[in-house]
Amino acid sequence: MPELPEVETVRRSLEPRLLGLTINSVEVLAEKIIKQPTLAEFKQGIVGKQVVAVKRRGKYLLVELTKGQTLVVHLRMTGQFIYCQPEQVHEKHTHVIFGLSNGSELRYIDIRRFGEMHLLPTGDYGSISGLSSLGPEPLEEQFLLAEFTIALAAKQTKIKALLLDQSFLAGLGNIYVDEALFRAGVHPERPAKSLSQKEVKALYLAIREVLAEGIEHRGTSIKDYVDGEGRAGTFQERLKVYSRSGKPCLHCGHILHKAKVATRTSVFCPKCQK
DNA sequence: AGTCAAACCTGGGCGC
DNA sequence: TGCGCCCAGGTTTGAC
């Protein structure tokens, strides 16, 4: 489910709620969510710690605690991290409950249970391969067109597969890749190295633009996604291709096509995206 | 290097 | 109403 804009929206909603609070208790109802250290060490290492920062890297949430510990969370497809009051109804797939020093709770809900949590020394993320191998953050200033151009030129793979590769660029998923490719006028199956300089620039700008707009509209809520306070986002109302196969292109009116590209369902305009 | 299926899970939608 | 099948915002692993 959540891609960069959704995870960033969760981060922004949780940060003001959690900062300064101490975690008084941890209740784990689905042990498989806790990847490391052991369940006992995880609980013991968290209880009594205070939240000092809530950060994001790619699609990972990093809840930094006192004593140099960080709770690393990945929501995968259906994970939700929600700040609420103890009397609020328990959602069916609630797997972890953190009791907070102001009486509130932070609950982890995840229908498919693909999500994961790790407790590690802050910055010491080598044991999480997906986190330690992440590519650049597309919205940061250090993500430069010049470097993106050079990186694309070295790859023969389909542009869509490359943009979904988190070690190439962090944070894009199926929705925002399709949207960015549409905005840039690039067909998802084009070999990365075949893009002209003009196309590379258009894609670079489209990626940053679509992610920024996604954040601005507090994420895309198709099925399960909600922010840290249970609120849905609204970017689904602005999607131009994702989930619109068979409907007319908003730019040229041609019927949007659906195809498997890089093993993922992809929607694109065969006329606008060459 | 690139590509692909399968695996991890549950639930919603569709055809019959 | 029920059954079976396919699909889903992600990632990893292992095979060709």
Side-chain angles (χ1 to χ4, degrees), chain A residues 136 142-153 168 204:
Chain A
Q142 301 94 301
F143 175 56
L144 300 173
L145 173 60
E147 290 170 20
F148 185 59
T149 304
I150 292 168
L152 284 188
F168 179 78
Y204 170 85

Side-chain angles (χ1 to χ4, degrees), chain A residues 99-140:
Chain A
L100 306 170
S101 54
N102 66 349
S104 300
E105 289 180 353
L106 178 63
R107 298 183 189 168
Y108 180 72
I109 301 164
D110 188 348
I111 294 173
R112 294 175 74 177
R113 276 183 276 161
F114 286 171
E116 55 187 63
M117 292 189 189
H118 310 251
L119 181 67
L120 292 167
T122 301
D124 186 7
Y125 307 133
S127 59
I128 308 177
S129 59
L131 176 54
S132 53
S133 67
L134 280 178
E137 282 291 327
L139 291 178
E140 284 190 357

Side-chain angles (χ1 to χ4, degrees), chain A residues 10-258:
Chain A
V10 171
R11 190 200 70 74
R12 290 182 184 188
S13 58
L14 289 181
E15 184 177 49
R17 296 294 191 180
L18 300 183
L19 279 187
L21 296 183
T22 298
I23 300 174
N24 287 339
S25 62
V26 182
E27 187 181 352
V28 178
L29 298 109
E31 295 186 18
K32 293 191 76 174
I33 302 289
I34 313 303
K35 302 300 179 186
Q36 60 175 339
T38 66
L39 180 58
E41 290 168 331
F42 179 85
K43 290 182 183 173
Q44 192 180 17
I46 285 180
V47 170
K49 305 291 196 302
Q50 203 176 346
V51 177
V52 297
V54 182
K55 298 182 178 174
R56 178 192 60 74
R57 176 79 173 94
K59 299 172 190 170
Y60 287 86
L61 273 173
L62 308 170
V63 182
E64 295 186 3
L65 307 172
T66 45
K67 302 278 177 70
Q69 296 289 299
T70 292
L71 171 64
V72 179
V73 181
H74 196 300
L75 306 172
R76 292 291 178 96
M77 298 283 274
T78 54
Q80 301 177 340
F81 219 17
I82 294 183
Y83 174 92
C84 63
Q85 301 310 307
E87 57 270 22
Q88 186 155 334
V89 289
H90 263 71
E91 295 293 332
K92 186 176 175 188
H93 299 284
T94 302
H95 304 313
V96 185
I97 303 172
F98 300 91
L100 306 170
S101 54
N102 66 349
S104 300
E105 289 180 353
L106 178 63
R107 298 183 189 168
Y108 180 72
I109 301 164
D110 188 348
I111 294 173
R112 294 175 74 177
R113 276 183 276 161
F114 286 171
E116 55 187 63
M117 292 189 189
H118 310 251
L119 181 67
L120 292 167
T122 301
D124 186 7
Y125 307 133
S127 59
I128 308 177
S129 59
L131 176 54
S132 53
S133 67
L134 280 178
E137 282 291 327
L139 291 178
E140 284 190 357
E141 282 181 28
Q142 301 94 301
F143 175 56
L144 300 173
L145 173 60
E147 290 170 20
F148 185 59
T149 304
I150 292 168
L152 284 188
K155 299 289 185 177
Q156 178 63 40
T157 191
K158 291 171 182 154
I159 187 64
K160 170 147 184 177
L162 193 58
L163 295 180
L164 285 171
D165 181 349
Q166 302 300 296
S167 66
F168 179 78
L169 187 62
L172 288 169
N174 207 28
I175 295 177
Y176 293 92
V177 165
D178 275 10
E179 294 298 313
L181 288 169
F182 173 76
R183 291 187 185 208
V186 174
H187 192 287
E189 298 190 277
R190 287 274 299 283
K193 59 165 56 171
S194 76
L195 271 64
S196 67
Q197 182 52 47
K198 193 178 167 188
E199 288 173 323
V200 171
K201 184 175 182 183
L203 182 56
Y204 170 85
L205 293 173
I207 288 168
R208 295 176 60 121
E209 181 184 85
V210 78
L211 291 174
E213 284 180 33
I215 293 171
E216 187 185 334
H217 296 281
R218 298 179 21 262
T220 303
S221 294
I222 300 285
K223 279 185 179 152
D224 310 294
Y225 168 72
V226 290
D227 72 7
E229 299 194 79
R231 295 174 304 190
T234 60
F235 196 63
Q236 64 278 7
E237 298 162 16
R238 314 179 102 82
L239 297 175
K240 293 191 168 73
V241 284
Y242 183 85
S243 82
R244 292 196 67 249
S245 80
K247 293 181 179 166
C249 171
L250 295 172
H251 181 63
C252 76
H254 197 283
I255 296 300
L256 296 177
H257 279 204
K258 178 162 81 171

